[in-house]
Amino acid sequence: MKHIFMKLKTAIIAVGLLSSGALFASVPLVKNLHEGWKFKQARLTNWYPATVPGVVHTDLLQNKIIEDPFFRLNERGLQWIDKEDWIYETHFTLTADMEQKENLDLVFEGLDTYADVYLNEVCVLKADNMFRRWSVPVKQHIKEGDNVLKVYFHSPVKVDAPKWDALPYHYPASNDQSENGGLLDKKISVFARKAGYHYGWDWGPRLVTSGIWRPVYIRAWSDSRIDDVFIEQKQVNASKAVIAGHVELSADKDINGALVTITDEATGKVLGKQQADLKKGTNQVTVDFTINKPKLWWSNGLGDPHLYRFRADVTADKELLDSKTERVGIRSLKVIHQPDKDGHTFYIELNGRPVFAKGANYIPCDNFLPRVTPEIYKKTILAASDVNMNMLRVWGGGIYENDFFYDLCDEHGIMVWQDFMFACSMYPAEGELLENIRQEAIDNVKRLRNHACIALWCGNNECQDAWLGWGWRGEIEKQNKAYVDKIWAQYLQQYHVTLPEVVKEYAPETFYWPSSPFAFEGEVSGTTDGDRHYWSVWHGKVPISDYDKEKSRFFSEYGFQSFPEFESVKRYAPDPEDWDIRSEVMMSHQRGGEHANGLIETYLLNEYKKPRDFQAFLYMNHVLQGDAIKTAIESHRRQMPYNMGTLFWQHNDCWPVASWASRDYYGRWKAQHYYARKAFEDILISPILEGDDLKVYAVSDRMKGTSGKLQLQVCRFDGTVVHDWNKSVSVLANDSRACFSAPLAELLKDTARGEVYVRVVYTDKSGKVYDNNYYLGKQKEMNYPKVNLTTDVRPIQGGYEVTVAADKFARAVFISIADNESVYSDNYFDIQPKGHVKVQVMTQLPIEEFNKSLKLTCLNNEF
């Protein structure tokens, strides 16, 4: 099993690191402790091989003690695992070089969650937070030769259930699937500093893990080591960047005349240096420097996301003590939240320029986090940048992601809205737990603050709106108003005092936002101030067309559900008897339950004609989802600058399931993801019927204005043109406005709306073409003719080019082949009458198998 290893932010010896020829004898050494692990159920005797980093569930799976938790109904039979204690153990020896160091630290980058650590039978650590990094000095406990490291994981259920039992009231936690875990109504997730989604969500299973989920190692050092480097960007513009490099060092003795330097690794230029006398303990040394005419970091679509490599070195008596490199994008990134004539603005300003945020909400890629490989992370971030996203929101019910995730966001210009890990619950945030939360926040703010991608820190997901608007407060008040006052006081202390204080102290240039959605303290969110989660389409059952009416300053959540496509469904539900959305298996992989299934059916039958079978239902559900989110994105972009952000829910899945994701667990793109690519382009040409008039908006994210030719046609499905209009138009920079308006009746010329579609094509002066199709009614009201589709397949490097031609207008043509790893350049596309579309399909299938399994589906033919 491949694992994603979080970067060890400790020194690595490199020949020629310093041009001065300094000696390297004192540089810290690191030994990873990832080999030779075994594990067992604490109350039993059998030991089995274990993988570290890993979790109990994946180790049980590897040893064939359990079946795949994601297959059919297997999850149900695995709820015993979180009620057991587990023991992990390994042996290790250190080299003579490491043993000779004055200090030996045992470092766990992540322990999930309640863990006692023993080194040679001495308890050296008691961990109680999945999100913290644990480091303990162990020099006095290390033996020459063989050493035994043991980690005892306590059942999170056994630790936290008594806390629930002891309270006269209970904290709301709406997504905790305690019933599925055999706990009845005991929503105990609020007591654990652990990923909330492990306890279940309305798109995820209940699989409560334990394990050494991130790297573990011994760090050996003498004299001094660098603990942290913070590149504080005090002033940034195109002319210069004024930077303070804060270097945090530990010293095991007083060291006079230590020299701290910061170097640009690309050029070898020393940017700044500072001499300091280090005292035993923790030291802070600041190296100030300025970069003239810096290469700025830009978000995806606006420019190059340039990254510098700044190396901090500490030397004493010409000897290198430690070195640490940080990769940093120089940029001015602000959230502009200030009064205006409509309320309060909420938008990103990057390098002095307002940026419309385009993207999605992100959840962890797997319930078993160590299974998320570098390849999965790359596919996930590329799937964002490739569809013109410039922001992902790391949602508060998951994890503070691995460094590699943020490295990729830095590289691809994907800004990150970063939640603290609190979601859809109220928490007993006082005393030891509040201090634990504070330390968790410090660990992660310090770890992530040098990443150019971090746009803001947000206290929680939906906790304030849920307390005030979902009935939670009222339910507690029925028991005792004193309980209400206590919970709210804890809430205010957590999100309005503790967390903002951490951000202000450790990342002073970064914006903090108390909750999402949020407008004002103690009030539910609204449409004129702050951000909004809009769920009236879907949960509120209002028509999809309401997306065109609803406004916000920043849409940070909205979404529409679909099942995975049929080829994905067959991987977790392979039996034909499962192929019904209400089968036992499909219902188990639909965490919204019958309510969600009913919503899909209701919306589908309201907007489309009835599908003929299960496969057609899945396909049409994808088109429905894609059309809905396309409608929302276009509406949100047309509202610019009143609205300056659209982040749909959600970018990915953690297991195979019916959900709001635009990509399923296996990485397959749904129609929504393909449609988002066009809806997120730098220029959007968006037709919309407003009253009796058809209007076409030109929306641009570009930094400079442009111009080109706009053509609008009203066409019958056989290709006959009812109305044709074209004209040169100007498209202003960072702007949205109508460039065409006419009474619809004049354009139709007595033709029924269901007999035509509107085709708009904008050809920019650069030669780039932007097009869009618009329908004047619901899809079930469109009189699509049956269409004849033909294909021509020719081999290309890595796969095949498929040319799909249609005799009449073909709506939402879907290509599929029997290859789980296939990648398509486009899908769910429309074909113009007597036109064709070329699609590149990357696959390893031989051409005979490819042609045999190639399948085309078209909305015209699925009723």
Side-chain angles (χ1 to χ4, degrees), residues 122-140:
V122 177
C123 184
V124 296
L125 170 67
K126 286 183 174 290
D128 58 359
N129 190 320
M130 175 182 178
F131 305 123
R132 289 178 60 181
R133 177 178 179 269
W134 305 94
S135 177
V136 290
V138 293
K139 175 77 172 180
Q140 68 272 34

Side-chain angles (χ1 to χ4, degrees), residues 427-445:
Y427 299 85
E430 62 182 16
E432 291 183 0
L433 179 59
L434 183 61
E435 177 58 22
N436 200 348
I437 289 168
R438 190 177 77 87
Q439 292 298 330
E440 165 192 321
I442 292 171
D443 276 6
N444 288 286
V445 170

Side-chain angles (χ1 to χ4, degrees), residues 82 150 235 263 300 315 338 419 422 450 540 548 667 760 778:
D82 60 40
K150 181 171 70 174
Q235 178 188 340
T263 302
N300 187 31
T315 59
Q338 59 190 22
D419 281 2
F422 304 94
N450 284 332
D548 287 323
V760 290
K778 296 178 180 179

Side-chain angles (χ1 to χ4, degrees), residues 558-599:
Y558 60 94
F560 202 95
Q561 212 189 73
S562 74
F563 291 90
E565 69 171 79
F566 186 55
E567 289 300 323
S568 290
V569 167
K570 289 192 294 185
R571 296 178 71 168
Y572 67 88
D575 299 337
E577 59 264 31
D578 297 334
W579 298 343
D580 184 297
I581 64 169
R582 288 181 173 80
S583 72
E584 194 77 5
V585 171
M586 292 297 288
M587 289 299 295
S588 180
H589 292 255
Q590 165 55 287
R591 284 324 226 241
E594 179 53 36
H595 171 71
N597 273 354
L599 285 174

Side-chain angles (χ1 to χ4, degrees), residues 619 623 675 810-814 828-831 857-860:
Y619 158 75
V623 180
Y675 292 0
R811 175 76 174 100
V813 176
F814 170 52
Y828 298 93
F829 47 83
D830 297 343
I831 304 178
T857 306
C858 177
L859 193 63
N860 306 49

Side-chain angles (χ1 to χ4, degrees), residues 518-767:
F518 183 80
F520 304 104
E521 179 185 318
E523 298 182 20
V524 294
S525 57
T527 62
T528 59
D529 307 86
D531 70 313
R532 186 183 185 194
H533 293 190
Y534 176 67
W535 285 104
S536 293
V537 176
W538 186 255
H539 290 301
K541 303 181 182 179
V542 304
I544 290 171
S545 58
D546 275 35
Y547 278 135
D548 287 323
K549 304 172 186 176
E550 291 297 323
K551 291 190 173 183
S552 172
R553 309 314 296 267
F554 194 110
F555 285 95
S556 49
E557 263 196 39
Y558 60 94
F560 202 95
Q561 212 189 73
S562 74
F563 291 90
E565 69 171 79
F566 186 55
E567 289 300 323
S568 290
V569 167
K570 289 192 294 185
R571 296 178 71 168
Y572 67 88
D575 299 337
E577 59 264 31
D578 297 334
W579 298 343
D580 184 297
I581 64 169
R582 288 181 173 80
S583 72
E584 194 77 5
V585 171
M586 292 297 288
M587 289 299 295
S588 180
H589 292 255
Q590 165 55 287
R591 284 324 226 241
E594 179 53 36
H595 171 71
N597 273 354
L599 285 174
I600 291 175
E601 281 190 322
T602 299
Y603 273 108
L604 185 64
L605 295 178
N606 185 52
E607 298 283 338
Y608 296 78
K609 296 176 183 177
K610 186 176 181 179
R612 59 187 179 189
D613 57 23
F614 179 69
Q615 291 189 50
F617 181 91
L618 297 181
Y619 158 75
M620 290 171 64
N621 183 196
H622 277 206
V623 180
L624 167 68
Q625 180 194 36
D627 282 348
I629 300 306
K630 175 181 182 290
T631 300
I633 292 171
E634 292 195 18
S635 172
H636 299 166
R637 294 191 67 187
R638 290 194 304 266
Q639 293 175 32
M640 187 173 74
Y642 182 88
N643 173 63
M644 286 296 287
T646 179
L647 308 178
F648 63 71
W649 185 271
Q650 64 209 74
H651 185 53
N652 59 316
D653 276 325
C654 66
W655 79 314
V657 66
S659 81
W660 298 264
S662 61
R663 301 161 53 252
D664 70 26
Y665 172 71
Y666 305 110
R668 291 179 180 271
W669 291 18
K670 300 180 184 179
Q672 174 179 326
H673 210 69
Y674 291 101
Y675 292 0
R677 178 165 58 192
K678 292 188 70 172
F680 282 153
E681 283 190 309
D682 59 341
I683 292 178
L684 168 69
I685 304 299
S686 179
I688 181 69
L689 191 59
E690 295 183 353
D692 294 328
D693 295 334
L694 180 69
K695 295 184 178 181
V696 178
Y697 284 77
V699 186
S700 175
D701 290 332
R702 292 188 186 180
M703 291 192 183
K704 296 181 180 179
T706 186
S707 61
K709 179 182 177 182
L710 177 65
Q711 181 180 37
L712 178 145
Q713 292 183 322
V714 179
C715 302
R716 293 183 182 273
F717 299 119
D718 64 1
T720 304
V721 177
V722 175
H723 185 90
D724 193 353
W725 176 94
N726 64 80
K727 186 179 179 181
S728 294
V729 296
S730 295
V731 179
L732 302 182
N734 214 27
D735 183 74
S736 170
R737 66 185 60 204
C739 57
F740 172 88
S741 180
L744 179 62
E746 292 182 8
L747 305 179
L748 288 178
K749 300 176 182 177
D750 297 325
T751 307
R753 295 187 184 191
E755 301 296 331
V756 296
Y757 65 102
V758 177
R759 172 75 170 165
V760 290
V761 180
Y762 169 74
T763 305
D764 189 62
K765 65 181 182 180
S766 66

Side-chain angles (χ1 to χ4, degrees), residues 194-198 201 203 364 395-399 419-423 461:
K194 175 172 172 56
Y197 81 111
H198 284 168
W201 220 265
W203 37 256
W395 165 80
I399 63 169
D419 281 2
F420 284 99
M421 291 302 114
F422 304 94
N461 174 77

